[in-house]
RNA sequence: CGGGUUGUGGCGCAGCUUGGUAGCGCACCUGCUUUGGGAGCAGGGGGUCCAGAGUUCAAAUCUCUGCAACCCGACCA
């Protein structure tokens, strides 16, 4: 390709609403343009990268036996109603009506669709199967952000495994785990797996693949010593035991005028340390007022609450709802003696005594509360959010928190969809059994952005060779016949060697060409100018190291081809 | 969905307080000179000032309503 014919609208300045490095650089480098919030056009350079990312994913999933499909992106409501997700997906799903008034949805994910196809599986002899597609998904995210990192319309590879039993699922899961690690290696995105919540999907094992980045939106709890790593939505830690002293035989109500916060009660004469307090949160879980109790110094993680209760719509109760439910205002709330609302208590409070908590009477608290004696605990659950510095549950090392981008997610679905859609096969004994499924997703555009987040400098992007839009750019210092001819010869040789080459034949100044080449991130640059040509040489520059060497004109194409080949293997 | 910010040529911004012919840099077009790190000079083109309503002799500027985008949070297979 000749740069003079290529549409690459580079910008000296990024739009000021682009903040994440990948967002700024992909805009500036002429890779993407925004249409509206969460929807981007892929320009020629961007689309080349996108396709290379998709191809790597395709190769690795094919390598574990995946079979590629193409599925409808628009679905009838009925299929989502059957699986029960028409409601549970909530507002994340784009919905529309056709001319007949029938409800339709744009695909958020494709478990349902693959399951309907899988209904034609009949025998264990056909298993295992791994099916996948790489197609556009639509999600009406409440807040699209950071360029390609969080969008509403995006290509995703999702694969689904179908097995006769749990052991088969384990194998498919492990195969995907390995395939994903190979994919991220090839994409040049450092990755690690963490334990994760399954969210609304249900299921058991769930591993998210993460890459560390300030532009991310997931917090990962990580142990530097052992291999413990978990999404904060799932993470646990060891807490030192607390000596509560002798339990009081009964609770004691005492006046606490003006004390409305945990901190205020700590400072209050006759109050209690935060670790000795109960924090009572009034939440509305699927319209049911529920009391959630955690230790005074702990934070509730709402995803944990959702996982523990299966609730879909979770929000804090408003002041009116709280007053109506408990007869008191925030600051004086408690769960002691409450029986007409469900009470969910964090595991960290098991066995605790001599606790202090609000008395549901403004300006009053209880002391001497024994959690298991005085609260009507409907459910115990791990609800609190782990904080940096707490002890690793495996080895006791202080945990750290890393901001990360989720670049892939694999989890076990079990038989949920098989049960709903009748995906059953005959087992060797002739018995009809549901097929066991796994689900494995990887966002193409997000990984493209993640690759940039992991590979850039102050001049621009530094694409890994594997996904660079062009592997090498031949920068012509002049556009006279001699330079042009030398450039075309090298270009032809590179093409013949299977290298993606771009010939910068634009009538532009050297500085512009160098700056654009660096901004766009081509891994290798061959510079042809009078200086080198005089000696029959080209200059060869490696983007990542800025290292420049002189190479004989006759050798340069072969040299670059070797490097490209080496980088991709 | 809550909080904050912002909408002015393709991009970055000024102008708005105090209403009076829409400006700057980059980019773009033409010519000349230049030519190894985002050239110089001269000339030129391009804007419903987010939209609608209102106030006014007069609105980019003041008022109201709406829309959109971004950031923080909530949310997020």
């Amino acid at each position: 390709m000749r740069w003079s014919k290529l549409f690459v609208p580079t910008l000296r300045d990024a739009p000021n609403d682009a903040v994440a490095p990948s967002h700024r650089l992909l805009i500036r480098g002429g890779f993407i343009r925004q249409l509206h919030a969460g929807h981007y056009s892929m320009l020629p350079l961007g689309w080349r990268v996108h396709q290379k990312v998709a191809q790597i994913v395709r190769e690795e999933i094919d390598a574990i036996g995946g079979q590629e499909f193409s599925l409808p992106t628009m679905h009838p409501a009925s299929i989502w109603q059957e699986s029960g997700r028409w409601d549970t997906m909530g507002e994340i799903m784009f919905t529309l009506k056709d001319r007949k008034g029938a409800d339709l949805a744009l695909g958020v994910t494709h478990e349902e669709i693959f399951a309907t196809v899988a209904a034609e599986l009949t025998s264990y002899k056909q298993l295992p199967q791994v099916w996948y597609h790489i197609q556009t998904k639509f999600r009406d995210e409440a807040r699209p952000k950071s360029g390609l990192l969080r969008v509403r319309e995006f290509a995703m590879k999702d694969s689904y495994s179908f097995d006769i039993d749990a052991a088969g699922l384990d194998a498919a899961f492990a195969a995907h785990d390995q395939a994903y690690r190979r994919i991220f290696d090839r994409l040049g995105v450092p990755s690690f797996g963490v334990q994760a919540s399954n969210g609304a999907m249900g299921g058991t094992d769930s591993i998210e693949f993460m890459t560390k980045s300030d532009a991310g939106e997931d917090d990962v709890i990580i142990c530097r010593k052992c291999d413990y790593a978990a999404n904060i939505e799932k993470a646990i830690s060891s807490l030192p035991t607390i000596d509560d002293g002798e339990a009081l035989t009964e609770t004691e109500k005492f006046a606490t005028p003006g004390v409305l916060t945990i901190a205020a009660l700590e400072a209050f004469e006759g109050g209690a340390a935060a670790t000795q307090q109960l924090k009572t949160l009034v939440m509305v879980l699927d319209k049911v007022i529920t009391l959630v109790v955690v230790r005074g110094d702990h934070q509730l993680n709402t995803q944990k609450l959702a996982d523990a209760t299966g609730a879909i719509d979770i929000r804090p109760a408003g002041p009116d709802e709280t007053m109506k439910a408990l007869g008191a205002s925030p600051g004086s709330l408690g769960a002691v003696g409450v029986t007409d609302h469900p009470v969910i208590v964090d595991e960290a409070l098991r066995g605790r005594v001599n606790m202090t908590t609000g008395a549901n009477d403004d300006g009053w608290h209880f002391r001497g509360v024994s959690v298991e004696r005085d609260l009507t605990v409907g459910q115990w659950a791990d609800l609190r959010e782990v904080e940096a510095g707490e002890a690793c549950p495996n080895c006791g090392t202080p945990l750290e928190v890393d901001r990360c981008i989720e670049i892939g997610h694999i989890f076990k679905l079990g038989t949920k969809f098989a049960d709903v859609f009748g995906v059953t096969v005959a087992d060797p004994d002739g018995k009809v059994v549901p097929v066991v499924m796994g689900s494995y997703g990887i966002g193409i555009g997000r990984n493209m952005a993640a690759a940039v987040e992991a590979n850039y400098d102050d001049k621009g992007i530094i694409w890994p060779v594997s996904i660079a839009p062009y592997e090498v750019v031949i920068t012509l210092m002049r556009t006279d016949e001699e330079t042009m001819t030398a450039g075309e010869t090298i270009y032809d040789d590179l093409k013949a060697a299977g290298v993606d080459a771009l010939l910068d034949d634009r009538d532009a100044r050297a500085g512009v060409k160098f700056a654009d080449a660096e901004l766009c991130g081509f891994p290798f640059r061959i510079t042809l100018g009078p200086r080198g040509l005089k000696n029959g040489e080209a200059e060869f520059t490696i983007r990542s190291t800025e290292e420049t060497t002189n190479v004989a004109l006759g050798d340069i194409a072969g040299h670059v081809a070797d490097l490209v080949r080496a980088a991709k293997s």
Side-chain angles (χ1 to χ4, degrees):
Chain A
M1 189 67 198
R2 288 167 183 269
W3 199 317
S4 61
K5 303 295 178 201
L6 187 65
F7 181 65
V8 191
T10 57
L11 301 172
R12 195 178 295 205
D13 304 303
N16 72 346
D17 55 10
V19 174
S22 64
H23 188 191
R24 297 178 64 81
L25 292 171
L26 288 170
I27 297 271
R28 282 190 58 211
F31 291 82
I32 60 170
R33 285 294 183 269
Q34 182 178 41
L35 179 63
H36 58 144
H39 300 262
Y40 285 84
S41 301
M42 287 279 166
L43 277 38
L45 284 190
W47 185 235
R48 287 183 69 91
V49 175
H50 192 276
Q51 291 191 102
K52 287 191 176 189
V53 172
Q55 183 57 27
I56 286 173
V57 173
R58 179 176 287 118
E59 287 169 12
E60 294 298 340
I61 301 302
D62 284 347
I64 59 169
Q67 304 167 64
E68 187 166 6
F69 285 59
S70 180
L71 302 177
T73 291
M74 192 183 291
H75 309 159
S78 57
I79 196 169
W80 289 90
Q81 286 157 347
E82 265 184 83
S83 68
R85 296 164 103 193
W86 181 259
D87 299 317
T88 60
M89 278 294 173
E91 296 180 314
I92 200 79
M93 194 154 56
F94 280 107
T95 58
L96 65 158
K97 286 182 191 296
D98 68 12
R99 63 167 73 198
K100 291 179 286 190
D103 286 316
L104 303 170
L106 296 180
V108 172
T109 174
H110 282 73
E111 279 85 355
E112 280 82 351
I113 318 306
F114 269 116
T116 61
V117 177
E120 292 193 44
L121 292 169
T122 51
S123 165
Y124 76 95
K125 293 176 189 168
Q126 295 170 301
L127 302 181
Q129 295 278 324
V130 175
W131 296 355
Y132 77 99
H133 70 158
I134 302 174
Q135 285 180 256
T136 304
K137 314 276 172 180
F138 292 88
R139 290 184 194 177
D140 192 0
E141 296 282 354
R143 183 150 98 86
K145 54 177 279 202
S146 305
L148 296 186
L149 285 174
R150 174 124 153 232
V151 291
R152 302 199 298 177
E153 175 179 349
F154 58 99
M156 178 172 183
K157 185 287 300 176
D158 44 339
S159 37
Y160 303 93
S161 61
F162 303 89
D163 284 279
I164 188 69
D165 56 20
L169 173 58
D170 289 347
F173 187 83
H176 276 89
D177 183 292
Q178 291 303 309
Y180 273 37
R181 291 173 199 275
R182 283 192 295 271
I183 287 167
F184 300 127
D185 280 349
R186 290 181 64 184
L187 296 180
V189 179
S191 73
F192 59 99
V194 310
Q195 298 174 23
S197 160
N198 291 38
M201 294 301 310
T204 50
D205 294 359
S206 174
I207 293 179
E208 285 173 343
F209 290 91
M210 296 286 188
T211 191
K212 191 169 165 4
S213 167
D214 292 337
E217 46 191 343
D218 279 282
D219 285 321
V220 170
I221 298 291
I222 189 161
C223 175
R224 301 285 179 212
K225 191 168 173 200
C226 70
D227 60 356
Y228 183 75
N231 192 305
I232 199 155
E233 296 172 350
K234 178 89 173 178
I236 56 174
S237 68
S238 301
L239 290 176
T241 49
I242 292 173
D243 180 7
D244 290 329
E246 190 83 0
L248 292 182
T249 52
E250 59 184 29
T251 61
E252 177 185 327
K253 190 170 175 177
F254 64 108
T256 50
V259 174
L260 292 175
T261 63
I262 300 285
L265 189 57
E266 279 197 289
F268 184 76
E269 175 81 26
T275 54
Q276 212 66 38
Q277 297 186 39
L278 300 179
K279 185 192 288 185
T280 307
L281 303 161
V282 184
M283 306 293 288
V284 183
L285 308 188
D286 293 337
K287 303 198 168 94
V288 178
I289 297 270
T290 303
L291 302 192
V292 178
V293 185
V294 297
R295 201 170 84 183
D297 58 328
H298 287 163
Q299 294 295 321
L300 169 69
N301 182 290
T302 53
Q303 185 62 47
K304 285 186 171 183
L305 181 60
D307 289 347
T309 60
I312 294 152
D313 181 34
I314 295 182
R315 63 176 176 83
D320 295 349
E321 290 169 306
T322 299
M323 178 56 77
K324 193 171 161 216
L326 297 179
S329 302
S332 303
L333 303 176
V336 174
V338 175
T339 54
D340 46 358
H341 302 287
V343 177
I344 304 178
V345 182
D346 184 60
E347 291 285 359
L349 293 171
R350 264 193 205 273
R352 296 294 305 278
V353 299
N354 277 338
M355 303 299 284
T356 300
T357 187
N360 288 333
D361 186 355
D362 286 356
W364 293 83
H365 279 77
F366 285 124
R367 65 165 67 95
V369 175
S370 295
V371 175
E372 291 172 47
R373 180 192 68 199
D374 301 321
L375 270 58
T376 307
V377 180
Q379 183 180 358
W380 293 93
D382 172 42
L383 300 171
R384 72 182 185 90
E385 191 160 288
V386 170
E387 286 184 27
E390 293 176 1
C392 172
N394 292 345
C395 72
T397 305
L399 294 164
E400 296 179 27
V401 182
D402 277 351
R403 194 74 168 165
C404 290
I405 300 168
E406 180 193 338
I407 50 176
H409 192 182
I410 62 178
F411 56 100
K412 298 180 179 176
L413 285 172
T415 59
K416 172 178 171 173
F417 288 90
D419 292 339
V420 170
F421 292 102
V423 186
T424 55
V425 296
D427 73 5
D429 301 326
K431 201 171 69 166
V432 173
V433 295
V435 166
V436 186
M437 288 176 65
S439 175
Y440 318 90
I442 203 168
I444 306 300
R446 180 179 284 186
N447 273 275
M448 175 174 162
V452 177
E453 295 287 342
N455 302 284
Y456 72 93
D457 63 15
D458 56 349
K459 291 178 176 170
I461 300 170
I462 307 170
W463 289 113
V465 173
S466 58
I467 55 172
Y470 291 95
E471 289 150 355
V472 56
V473 57
I474 304 163
T475 304
L476 305 183
M477 291 288 87
R478 304 284 158 82
T479 50
D480 59 58
E481 199 178 327
E482 185 196 4
T483 315
M484 199 67 94
T485 302
E488 285 169 350
T489 302
I490 293 168
Y491 177 80
D492 290 341
D493 290 348
L494 286 167
K495 295 297 285 185
V499 175
D500 279 336
L502 178 63
L503 184 65
D504 190 354
D505 60 338
R506 292 176 298 168
D507 181 19
R509 303 179 67 82
V512 173
K513 292 188 170 197
F514 290 147
D516 276 349
E518 285 153 353
L519 174 61
C520 294
F522 306 113
F524 302 122
R525 189 179 80 212
I526 296 169
T527 308
L528 294 177
R531 241 157 44 184
L533 288 178
K534 200 168 54 187
N535 304 320
E537 289 178 332
E539 283 163 47
F540 175 64
T541 307
I542 296 173
R543 173 70 178 88
S544 56
T545 61
E546 298 183 2
E547 179 189 345
T548 295
T549 51
N550 292 316
V551 180
L553 286 178
D555 298 337
I556 184 69
H559 181 57
V560 172
D562 287 346
L563 285 173
V564 167
R565 212 171 296 124
K568 287 204 283 192
S569 66

